[in-house]
């Protein structure tokens, strides 16, 4: 393939794409490459449809709303992550975020018990009791997610907790489910079960970067082929100080997947159609 035609294909896919996982400054304790204003500018200039602005520490809906006014035509979706900084699994915090237009609720990430114990720290926040049943407060959060038709993302909880969460969410009628980059954490069988429960499975391009080095674009291409393109999404998860801006990271992801043999229409599903449908911003 000539580099010129490859570049035009990458640009074609990048236009109108939607990145479900973007970080920006300010963020306490974590150095970010760009603030939210510049992160939005790069996405706007790349003619992306938009992105979800994620912070592990604070709800981003007000910031997202401001960016949408600054960059007409760009759809920045706000989110909340249920870490200790917002009171953990707090129905009140989720209700406030929903009332301000947040589209995504992540279960605990950096405060999750499973995440902390994997780093010889903790204890952290769990979603289930000693019998493996979801805590009442999680049910309350799910009811708010259902009422506002939000996206429910698993965060960094254990695969077992994620499966109970998704199973219960489906029983409550929640349609928008996102398994947060489970590759290398959950088994192939657990990931398959998440997909069978209706969750979209996230593969991040961050996992391919030298700072993380957990996977390769070829492995992502193979995994999405195996699981089925209709059940997968690719995100950047960029924003770290050592990586390019998230919009450029998304361009790199598209180029790398194209190089590894995925077709334009397959990548389009992963970075455009599926993400937009998931957040309810598809046509």
């Amino acid at each position: 393939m000539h580099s010129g035609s490859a570049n035009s294909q990458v640009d074609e896919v990048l236009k109108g794409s939607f990145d479900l996982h973007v970080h920006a400054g300010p963020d306490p304790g974590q150095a970010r490459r760009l603030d939210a204003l510049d992160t939005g500018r790069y996405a706007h200039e790349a003619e992306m449809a938009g992105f979800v602005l994620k912070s592990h520490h604070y709800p981003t809906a007000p910031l997202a709303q401001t960016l949408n006014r600054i960059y007409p035509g760009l759809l920045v979706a706000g989110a909340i992550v249920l870490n200790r900084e917002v009171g953990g699994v707090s129905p009140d915090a989720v209700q406030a975020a929903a009332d301000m237009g947040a589209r995504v609720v992540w279960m605990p990430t950096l405060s999750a018990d499973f995440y902390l114990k994997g780093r010889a720290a903790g204890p952290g926040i769990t979603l289930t009791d000693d019998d493996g049943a979801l805590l009442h407060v999680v049910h309350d959060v799910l009811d708010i997610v259902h009422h506002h038709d939000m996206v429910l993302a698993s965060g960094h909880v254990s695969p077992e907790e994620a499966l109970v969460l998704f199973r219960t969410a489906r029983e409550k009628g929640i349609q928008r489910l996102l398994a947060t980059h489970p590759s290398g954490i959950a088994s192939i069988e657990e990931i398959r079960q998440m997909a069978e429960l209706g969750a979209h499975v996230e593969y991040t391009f961050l996992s391919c970067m030298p700072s993380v080095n957990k996977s390769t674009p070829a492995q992502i291409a193979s995994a999405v082929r195996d699981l089925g393109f209709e059940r997968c999404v690719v995100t950047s998860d960029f924003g770290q100080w050592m990586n390019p801006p998230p919009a450029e990271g998304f361009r790199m992801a598209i180029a790398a997947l194209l190089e590894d043999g995925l077709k334009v229409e397959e990548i389009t599903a992963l970075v455009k159609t599926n993400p937009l449908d998931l957040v309810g911003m598809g046509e």
Side-chain angles (χ1 to χ4, degrees), residues 21-36 53-60 63 81 83 85 109-110 237-240:
H21 198 153
V22 167
H23 296 282
D27 241 349
Q30 292 176 300
R32 295 301 183 196
R33 174 66 182 262
L34 301 170
D35 64 17
L53 185 61
K54 179 183 183 182
S55 169
H56 294 291
H57 309 284
Y58 62 88
T60 62
L63 197 47
V81 184
N83 285 328
E85 289 85 349
T109 55
L110 306 186
D237 193 4
F238 272 31
Q240 303 75 23

Side-chain angles (χ1 to χ4, degrees), residues 238-260:
F238 272 31
Q240 303 75 23
W241 65 269
M242 78 292 289
N243 287 326
E248 185 56 32
F250 223 34
R251 181 192 299 276
M252 291 163 60
I254 292 164
L257 292 171
L258 202 58
E259 186 71 22
D260 276 302

Side-chain angles (χ1 to χ4, degrees), residues 116-191:
L116 288 170
K117 284 184 175 165
R119 284 149 184 78
I125 299 168
T126 57
L127 302 186
T128 54
D129 61 22
D130 292 341
D131 297 322
L134 273 191
L135 299 170
H136 288 300
V137 72
V138 182
H139 279 275
D140 294 341
V141 165
L142 293 185
D143 291 339
I144 297 166
V145 168
H146 181 232
H147 180 73
H148 290 272
D149 195 25
M150 300 165 88
V151 179
L152 176 69
S154 56
H156 297 173
V157 303
S158 70
E160 294 81 10
E161 289 174 288
L163 284 167
V164 174
L165 178 75
F166 289 150
R167 204 168 282 122
T168 308
R170 281 306 296 267
E171 289 166 3
K172 289 179 180 284
I174 296 171
Q175 300 291 324
R176 308 181 192 280
L177 305 175
L178 180 60
T180 306
H181 49 65
S183 183
I185 301 162
S187 69
I188 300 294
E189 181 52 38
E190 286 168 332
I191 293 172

Side-chain angles (χ1 to χ4, degrees), residues 32 36 47-49 51 65 78 96 122 145 178 185 196 215 238 244 247 256 259 277:
R32 295 301 183 196
E47 296 182 52
M48 291 175 62
F51 56 88
Q65 195 175 90
V145 168
L178 180 60
I185 301 162
E196 285 169 0
S215 61
F238 272 31
E259 186 71 22
D277 285 348

Side-chain angles (χ1 to χ4, degrees), residues 24-91:
D27 241 349
Q30 292 176 300
R32 295 301 183 196
R33 174 66 182 262
L34 301 170
D35 64 17
L37 193 64
D38 283 338
T39 300
R41 180 172 59 83
Y42 273 94
H44 188 251
E45 288 173 355
E47 296 182 52
M48 291 175 62
F51 56 88
V52 176
L53 185 61
K54 179 183 183 182
S55 169
H56 294 291
H57 309 284
Y58 62 88
T60 62
L63 197 47
Q65 195 175 90
T66 303
L67 291 174
N68 287 329
R69 292 189 64 191
I70 292 169
Y71 302 112
L74 189 70
L75 297 166
V76 182
I80 185 170
V81 184
L82 302 184
N83 285 328
R84 288 185 175 128
E85 289 85 349
V86 302
V89 182
S90 166

Side-chain angles (χ1 to χ4, degrees), residues 19 21 23 32 56 156 181 202-217 220 234-244 249-250 252-253:
D19 190 348
H21 198 153
H23 296 282
R32 295 301 183 196
H56 294 291
H156 297 173
H181 49 65
E202 175 191 20
Y203 293 90
T204 73
F205 193 60
L206 176 65
S207 67
C208 303
M209 298 305 287
S211 59
V212 178
N213 205 26
K214 281 187 176 172
S215 61
T216 65
I220 291 177
V234 167
T235 68
S236 72
D237 193 4
F238 272 31
Q240 303 75 23
W241 65 269
M242 78 292 289
N243 287 326
F250 223 34
M252 291 163 60

